[in-house]
Amino acid sequence: MPAALALLSAVFVLGFEHIVQSKYGATGIIGLLLLTVGIKAKSPAFSSAGAVLLALVLAGPAL
């Protein structure tokens, strides 16, 4: 059962990354990567940089 769960989560993550990249480009992927690495490493600097980058990408059309 754990192998099926790992496969399902990997498919979900790859699908989500594809959606983010197609909608927000490479900048969105870099922001998502920084946010994920920051959360996993418990580094406030990385997670804050990723969150700010994602916020700028999402707010870009409004600015």
Side-chain angles (χ1 to χ4, degrees), residues 16-44:
F16 184 70
E17 284 181 356
H18 181 69
I19 290 171
V20 169
Q21 185 174 9
S22 66
K23 191 166 186 176
Y24 301 113
T27 310
I29 289 293
I30 292 170
L32 186 63
L33 178 71
L34 282 173
L35 184 64
T36 305
V37 168
I39 290 172
K40 294 233 183 229
K42 296 182 181 174
S43 171

PDB file of all heavy atoms in Angstrom, residues 16-44:
ATOM      1  N   PHE A  16       0.707  18.932 -10.646  1.00  0.00           N
ATOM      2  CA  PHE A  16       0.604  20.282 -10.101  1.00  0.00           C
ATOM      3  C   PHE A  16       1.723  21.177 -10.633  1.00  0.00           C
ATOM      4  O   PHE A  16       1.487  22.334 -10.991  1.00  0.00           O
ATOM      5  CB  PHE A  16       0.646  20.232  -8.571  1.00  0.00           C
ATOM      6  CG  PHE A  16       0.445  21.568  -7.923  1.00  0.00           C
ATOM      7  CD1 PHE A  16      -0.788  22.185  -7.951  1.00  0.00           C
ATOM      8  CD2 PHE A  16       1.497  22.205  -7.288  1.00  0.00           C
ATOM      9  CE1 PHE A  16      -0.978  23.418  -7.356  1.00  0.00           C
ATOM     10  CE2 PHE A  16       1.321  23.434  -6.695  1.00  0.00           C
ATOM     11  CZ  PHE A  16       0.078  24.042  -6.726  1.00  0.00           C
ATOM     12  N   GLU A  17       2.936  20.629 -10.727  1.00  0.00           N
ATOM     13  CA  GLU A  17       4.048  21.413 -11.269  1.00  0.00           C
ATOM     14  C   GLU A  17       3.811  21.762 -12.724  1.00  0.00           C
ATOM     15  O   GLU A  17       4.135  22.866 -13.161  1.00  0.00           O
ATOM     16  CB  GLU A  17       5.361  20.642 -11.135  1.00  0.00           C
ATOM     17  CG  GLU A  17       5.917  20.624  -9.737  1.00  0.00           C
ATOM     18  CD  GLU A  17       7.226  19.871  -9.648  1.00  0.00           C
ATOM     19  OE1 GLU A  17       7.673  19.297 -10.665  1.00  0.00           O
ATOM     20  OE2 GLU A  17       7.811  19.861  -8.559  1.00  0.00           O
ATOM     21  N   HIS A  18       3.227  20.852 -13.489  1.00  0.00           N
ATOM     22  CA  HIS A  18       2.933  21.128 -14.888  1.00  0.00           C
ATOM     23  C   HIS A  18       1.896  22.241 -15.027  1.00  0.00           C
ATOM     24  O   HIS A  18       2.033  23.124 -15.884  1.00  0.00           O
ATOM     25  CB  HIS A  18       2.448  19.859 -15.581  1.00  0.00           C
ATOM     26  CG  HIS A  18       2.157  20.042 -17.025  1.00  0.00           C
ATOM     27  ND1 HIS A  18       3.147  20.275 -17.945  1.00  0.00           N
ATOM     28  CD2 HIS A  18       0.994  20.072 -17.713  1.00  0.00           C
ATOM     29  CE1 HIS A  18       2.605  20.418 -19.132  1.00  0.00           C
ATOM     30  NE2 HIS A  18       1.291  20.302 -19.014  1.00  0.00           N
ATOM     31  N   ILE A  19       0.883  22.216 -14.178  1.00  0.00           N
ATOM     32  CA  ILE A  19      -0.140  23.264 -14.208  1.00  0.00           C
ATOM     33  C   ILE A  19       0.465  24.613 -13.852  1.00  0.00           C
ATOM     34  O   ILE A  19       0.208  25.617 -14.508  1.00  0.00           O
ATOM     35  CB  ILE A  19      -1.299  22.906 -13.258  1.00  0.00           C
ATOM     36  CG1 ILE A  19      -2.088  21.730 -13.821  1.00  0.00           C
ATOM     37  CG2 ILE A  19      -2.218  24.100 -13.033  1.00  0.00           C
ATOM     38  CD1 ILE A  19      -3.110  21.155 -12.868  1.00  0.00           C
ATOM     39  N   VAL A  20       1.304  24.644 -12.822  1.00  0.00           N
ATOM     40  CA  VAL A  20       1.937  25.898 -12.409  1.00  0.00           C
ATOM     41  C   VAL A  20       2.847  26.420 -13.516  1.00  0.00           C
ATOM     42  O   VAL A  20       2.818  27.612 -13.841  1.00  0.00           O
ATOM     43  CB  VAL A  20       2.719  25.713 -11.090  1.00  0.00           C
ATOM     44  CG1 VAL A  20       3.593  26.912 -10.801  1.00  0.00           C
ATOM     45  CG2 VAL A  20       1.757  25.483  -9.948  1.00  0.00           C
ATOM     46  N   GLN A  21       3.630  25.531 -14.129  1.00  0.00           N
ATOM     47  CA  GLN A  21       4.551  25.975 -15.168  1.00  0.00           C
ATOM     48  C   GLN A  21       3.797  26.464 -16.403  1.00  0.00           C
ATOM     49  O   GLN A  21       4.187  27.457 -17.010  1.00  0.00           O
ATOM     50  CB  GLN A  21       5.510  24.862 -15.558  1.00  0.00           C
ATOM     51  CG  GLN A  21       6.560  25.327 -16.536  1.00  0.00           C
ATOM     52  CD  GLN A  21       7.600  24.265 -16.828  1.00  0.00           C
ATOM     53  OE1 GLN A  21       7.446  23.123 -16.421  1.00  0.00           O
ATOM     54  NE2 GLN A  21       8.641  24.647 -17.517  1.00  0.00           N
ATOM     55  N   SER A  22       2.720  25.810 -16.773  1.00  0.00           N
ATOM     56  CA  SER A  22       1.994  26.238 -17.959  1.00  0.00           C
ATOM     57  C   SER A  22       1.273  27.558 -17.718  1.00  0.00           C
ATOM     58  O   SER A  22       1.089  28.344 -18.643  1.00  0.00           O
ATOM     59  CB  SER A  22       0.993  25.172 -18.391  1.00  0.00           C
ATOM     60  OG  SER A  22      -0.023  25.018 -17.423  1.00  0.00           O
ATOM     61  N   LYS A  23       0.885  27.819 -16.487  1.00  0.00           N
ATOM     62  CA  LYS A  23       0.152  29.052 -16.201  1.00  0.00           C
ATOM     63  C   LYS A  23       1.074  30.211 -15.809  1.00  0.00           C
ATOM     64  O   LYS A  23       0.847  31.337 -16.222  1.00  0.00           O
ATOM     65  CB  LYS A  23      -0.858  28.801 -15.090  1.00  0.00           C
ATOM     66  CG  LYS A  23      -1.831  29.934 -14.908  1.00  0.00           C
ATOM     67  CD  LYS A  23      -2.996  29.536 -14.054  1.00  0.00           C
ATOM     68  CE  LYS A  23      -3.998  30.673 -14.040  1.00  0.00           C
ATOM     69  NZ  LYS A  23      -5.200  30.335 -13.309  1.00  0.00           N
ATOM     70  N   TYR A  24       2.109  29.930 -15.025  1.00  0.00           N
ATOM     71  CA  TYR A  24       2.953  30.996 -14.486  1.00  0.00           C
ATOM     72  C   TYR A  24       4.394  30.965 -14.963  1.00  0.00           C
ATOM     73  O   TYR A  24       5.191  31.803 -14.556  1.00  0.00           O
ATOM     74  CB  TYR A  24       2.920  30.972 -12.957  1.00  0.00           C
ATOM     75  CG  TYR A  24       1.532  31.137 -12.410  1.00  0.00           C
ATOM     76  CD1 TYR A  24       0.905  30.102 -11.738  1.00  0.00           C
ATOM     77  CD2 TYR A  24       0.833  32.313 -12.592  1.00  0.00           C
ATOM     78  CE1 TYR A  24      -0.385  30.238 -11.249  1.00  0.00           C
ATOM     79  CE2 TYR A  24      -0.452  32.460 -12.102  1.00  0.00           C
ATOM     80  CZ  TYR A  24      -1.049  31.413 -11.441  1.00  0.00           C
ATOM     81  OH  TYR A  24      -2.313  31.546 -10.983  1.00  0.00           O
ATOM     82  N   GLY A  25       4.765  29.986 -15.748  1.00  0.00           N
ATOM     83  CA  GLY A  25       6.099  29.945 -16.334  1.00  0.00           C
ATOM     84  C   GLY A  25       7.160  29.450 -15.364  1.00  0.00           C
ATOM     85  O   GLY A  25       6.875  28.905 -14.295  1.00  0.00           O
ATOM     86  N   ALA A  26       8.388  29.666 -15.758  1.00  0.00           N
ATOM     87  CA  ALA A  26       9.525  29.178 -14.976  1.00  0.00           C
ATOM     88  C   ALA A  26       9.625  29.896 -13.630  1.00  0.00           C
ATOM     89  O   ALA A  26      10.065  29.309 -12.639  1.00  0.00           O
ATOM     90  CB  ALA A  26      10.815  29.364 -15.757  1.00  0.00           C
ATOM     91  N   THR A  27       9.208  31.147 -13.574  1.00  0.00           N
ATOM     92  CA  THR A  27       9.266  31.892 -12.314  1.00  0.00           C
ATOM     93  C   THR A  27       8.356  31.263 -11.264  1.00  0.00           C
ATOM     94  O   THR A  27       8.710  31.198 -10.086  1.00  0.00           O
ATOM     95  CB  THR A  27       8.864  33.360 -12.547  1.00  0.00           C
ATOM     96  OG1 THR A  27       9.602  33.872 -13.638  1.00  0.00           O
ATOM     97  CG2 THR A  27       9.123  34.196 -11.322  1.00  0.00           C
ATOM     98  N   GLY A  28       7.207  30.791 -11.684  1.00  0.00           N
ATOM     99  CA  GLY A  28       6.293  30.118 -10.760  1.00  0.00           C
ATOM    100  C   GLY A  28       6.883  28.835 -10.215  1.00  0.00           C
ATOM    101  O   GLY A  28       6.743  28.518  -9.033  1.00  0.00           O
ATOM    102  N   ILE A  29       7.573  28.080 -11.084  1.00  0.00           N
ATOM    103  CA  ILE A  29       8.209  26.836 -10.644  1.00  0.00           C
ATOM    104  C   ILE A  29       9.331  27.124  -9.650  1.00  0.00           C
ATOM    105  O   ILE A  29       9.478  26.436  -8.644  1.00  0.00           O
ATOM    106  CB  ILE A  29       8.747  26.039 -11.850  1.00  0.00           C
ATOM    107  CG1 ILE A  29       7.591  25.470 -12.650  1.00  0.00           C
ATOM    108  CG2 ILE A  29       9.685  24.935 -11.427  1.00  0.00           C
ATOM    109  CD1 ILE A  29       6.802  24.409 -11.944  1.00  0.00           C
ATOM    110  N   ILE A  30      10.124  28.165  -9.924  1.00  0.00           N
ATOM    111  CA  ILE A  30      11.215  28.513  -9.008  1.00  0.00           C
ATOM    112  C   ILE A  30      10.651  28.955  -7.658  1.00  0.00           C
ATOM    113  O   ILE A  30      11.163  28.566  -6.603  1.00  0.00           O
ATOM    114  CB  ILE A  30      12.110  29.605  -9.623  1.00  0.00           C
ATOM    115  CG1 ILE A  30      12.863  29.039 -10.830  1.00  0.00           C
ATOM    116  CG2 ILE A  30      13.098  30.157  -8.599  1.00  0.00           C
ATOM    117  CD1 ILE A  30      13.583  30.072 -11.649  1.00  0.00           C
ATOM    118  N   GLY A  31       9.597  29.743  -7.663  1.00  0.00           N
ATOM    119  CA  GLY A  31       8.971  30.158  -6.412  1.00  0.00           C
ATOM    120  C   GLY A  31       8.412  28.986  -5.633  1.00  0.00           C
ATOM    121  O   GLY A  31       8.564  28.896  -4.413  1.00  0.00           O
ATOM    122  N   LEU A  32       7.759  28.062  -6.345  1.00  0.00           N
ATOM    123  CA  LEU A  32       7.224  26.869  -5.699  1.00  0.00           C
ATOM    124  C   LEU A  32       8.348  26.005  -5.137  1.00  0.00           C
ATOM    125  O   LEU A  32       8.238  25.467  -4.036  1.00  0.00           O
ATOM    126  CB  LEU A  32       6.386  26.075  -6.700  1.00  0.00           C
ATOM    127  CG  LEU A  32       5.633  24.871  -6.179  1.00  0.00           C
ATOM    128  CD1 LEU A  32       4.600  25.306  -5.153  1.00  0.00           C
ATOM    129  CD2 LEU A  32       4.970  24.143  -7.321  1.00  0.00           C
ATOM    130  N   LEU A  33       9.437  25.885  -5.879  1.00  0.00           N
ATOM    131  CA  LEU A  33      10.586  25.110  -5.412  1.00  0.00           C
ATOM    132  C   LEU A  33      11.199  25.725  -4.162  1.00  0.00           C
ATOM    133  O   LEU A  33      11.486  25.027  -3.184  1.00  0.00           O
ATOM    134  CB  LEU A  33      11.634  25.013  -6.518  1.00  0.00           C
ATOM    135  CG  LEU A  33      12.909  24.270  -6.175  1.00  0.00           C
ATOM    136  CD1 LEU A  33      12.617  22.779  -6.070  1.00  0.00           C
ATOM    137  CD2 LEU A  33      13.966  24.528  -7.216  1.00  0.00           C
ATOM    138  N   LEU A  34      11.386  27.050  -4.177  1.00  0.00           N
ATOM    139  CA  LEU A  34      11.948  27.718  -2.994  1.00  0.00           C
ATOM    140  C   LEU A  34      11.040  27.552  -1.778  1.00  0.00           C
ATOM    141  O   LEU A  34      11.520  27.307  -0.661  1.00  0.00           O
ATOM    142  CB  LEU A  34      12.155  29.208  -3.279  1.00  0.00           C
ATOM    143  CG  LEU A  34      13.369  29.582  -4.102  1.00  0.00           C
ATOM    144  CD1 LEU A  34      13.324  31.067  -4.448  1.00  0.00           C
ATOM    145  CD2 LEU A  34      14.635  29.265  -3.352  1.00  0.00           C
ATOM    146  N   LEU A  35       9.742  27.676  -1.993  1.00  0.00           N
ATOM    147  CA  LEU A  35       8.800  27.524  -0.884  1.00  0.00           C
ATOM    148  C   LEU A  35       8.835  26.107  -0.329  1.00  0.00           C
ATOM    149  O   LEU A  35       8.879  25.912   0.891  1.00  0.00           O
ATOM    150  CB  LEU A  35       7.393  27.884  -1.354  1.00  0.00           C
ATOM    151  CG  LEU A  35       6.303  27.870  -0.302  1.00  0.00           C
ATOM    152  CD1 LEU A  35       6.584  28.925   0.754  1.00  0.00           C
ATOM    153  CD2 LEU A  35       4.958  28.118  -0.940  1.00  0.00           C
ATOM    154  N   THR A  36       8.863  25.116  -1.197  1.00  0.00           N
ATOM    155  CA  THR A  36       8.885  23.725  -0.758  1.00  0.00           C
ATOM    156  C   THR A  36      10.175  23.386  -0.027  1.00  0.00           C
ATOM    157  O   THR A  36      10.146  22.754   1.038  1.00  0.00           O
ATOM    158  CB  THR A  36       8.715  22.788  -1.969  1.00  0.00           C
ATOM    159  OG1 THR A  36       7.532  23.155  -2.660  1.00  0.00           O
ATOM    160  CG2 THR A  36       8.629  21.353  -1.545  1.00  0.00           C
ATOM    161  N   VAL A  37      11.308  23.810  -0.575  1.00  0.00           N
ATOM    162  CA  VAL A  37      12.596  23.541   0.076  1.00  0.00           C
ATOM    163  C   VAL A  37      12.661  24.257   1.415  1.00  0.00           C
ATOM    164  O   VAL A  37      13.150  23.693   2.402  1.00  0.00           O
ATOM    165  CB  VAL A  37      13.763  23.962  -0.840  1.00  0.00           C
ATOM    166  CG1 VAL A  37      15.073  23.979  -0.093  1.00  0.00           C
ATOM    167  CG2 VAL A  37      13.846  23.045  -2.044  1.00  0.00           C
ATOM    168  N   GLY A  38      12.163  25.470   1.482  1.00  0.00           N
ATOM    169  CA  GLY A  38      12.178  26.209   2.742  1.00  0.00           C
ATOM    170  C   GLY A  38      11.341  25.557   3.822  1.00  0.00           C
ATOM    171  O   GLY A  38      11.735  25.518   4.992  1.00  0.00           O
ATOM    172  N   ILE A  39      10.189  25.001   3.421  1.00  0.00           N
ATOM    173  CA  ILE A  39       9.334  24.341   4.406  1.00  0.00           C
ATOM    174  C   ILE A  39       9.976  23.040   4.869  1.00  0.00           C
ATOM    175  O   ILE A  39       9.998  22.742   6.069  1.00  0.00           O
ATOM    176  CB  ILE A  39       7.929  24.103   3.818  1.00  0.00           C
ATOM    177  CG1 ILE A  39       7.206  25.444   3.669  1.00  0.00           C
ATOM    178  CG2 ILE A  39       7.117  23.154   4.686  1.00  0.00           C
ATOM    179  CD1 ILE A  39       5.897  25.372   2.933  1.00  0.00           C
ATOM    180  N   LYS A  40      10.510  22.256   3.933  1.00  0.00           N
ATOM    181  CA  LYS A  40      11.120  20.970   4.303  1.00  0.00           C
ATOM    182  C   LYS A  40      12.376  21.173   5.154  1.00  0.00           C
ATOM    183  O   LYS A  40      12.633  20.408   6.075  1.00  0.00           O
ATOM    184  CB  LYS A  40      11.465  20.171   3.057  1.00  0.00           C
ATOM    185  CG  LYS A  40      10.262  19.752   2.283  1.00  0.00           C
ATOM    186  CD  LYS A  40      10.298  18.279   2.048  1.00  0.00           C
ATOM    187  CE  LYS A  40       9.093  17.942   1.190  1.00  0.00           C
ATOM    188  NZ  LYS A  40       8.358  16.849   1.734  1.00  0.00           N
ATOM    189  N   ALA A  41      13.181  22.203   4.838  1.00  0.00           N
ATOM    190  CA  ALA A  41      14.420  22.449   5.581  1.00  0.00           C
ATOM    191  C   ALA A  41      14.189  23.328   6.805  1.00  0.00           C
ATOM    192  O   ALA A  41      15.129  23.612   7.540  1.00  0.00           O
ATOM    193  CB  ALA A  41      15.445  23.105   4.670  1.00  0.00           C
ATOM    194  N   LYS A  42      12.960  23.765   7.013  1.00  0.00           N
ATOM    195  CA  LYS A  42      12.601  24.670   8.111  1.00  0.00           C
ATOM    196  C   LYS A  42      13.461  25.926   8.083  1.00  0.00           C
ATOM    197  O   LYS A  42      13.975  26.380   9.095  1.00  0.00           O
ATOM    198  CB  LYS A  42      12.697  23.954   9.445  1.00  0.00           C
ATOM    199  CG  LYS A  42      11.711  22.826   9.566  1.00  0.00           C
ATOM    200  CD  LYS A  42      11.781  22.144  10.894  1.00  0.00           C
ATOM    201  CE  LYS A  42      10.770  21.029  10.906  1.00  0.00           C
ATOM    202  NZ  LYS A  42      10.850  20.213  12.083  1.00  0.00           N
ATOM    203  N   SER A  43      13.602  26.465   6.868  1.00  0.00           N
ATOM    204  CA  SER A  43      14.383  27.678   6.661  1.00  0.00           C
ATOM    205  C   SER A  43      13.451  28.829   6.331  1.00  0.00           C
ATOM    206  O   SER A  43      12.857  28.861   5.254  1.00  0.00           O
ATOM    207  CB  SER A  43      15.372  27.463   5.512  1.00  0.00           C
ATOM    208  OG  SER A  43      15.982  28.675   5.163  1.00  0.00           O
ATOM    209  N   PRO A  44      13.318  29.782   7.233  1.00  0.00           N
ATOM    210  CA  PRO A  44      12.420  30.903   6.972  1.00  0.00           C
ATOM    211  C   PRO A  44      12.862  31.759   5.782  1.00  0.00           C
ATOM    212  O   PRO A  44      12.030  32.338   5.094  1.00  0.00           O
ATOM    213  CB  PRO A  44      12.452  31.728   8.257  1.00  0.00           C
ATOM    214  CG  PRO A  44      13.154  30.921   9.266  1.00  0.00           C
ATOM    215  CD  PRO A  44      13.892  29.839   8.568  1.00  0.00           C
TER     216      PRO A  44
END
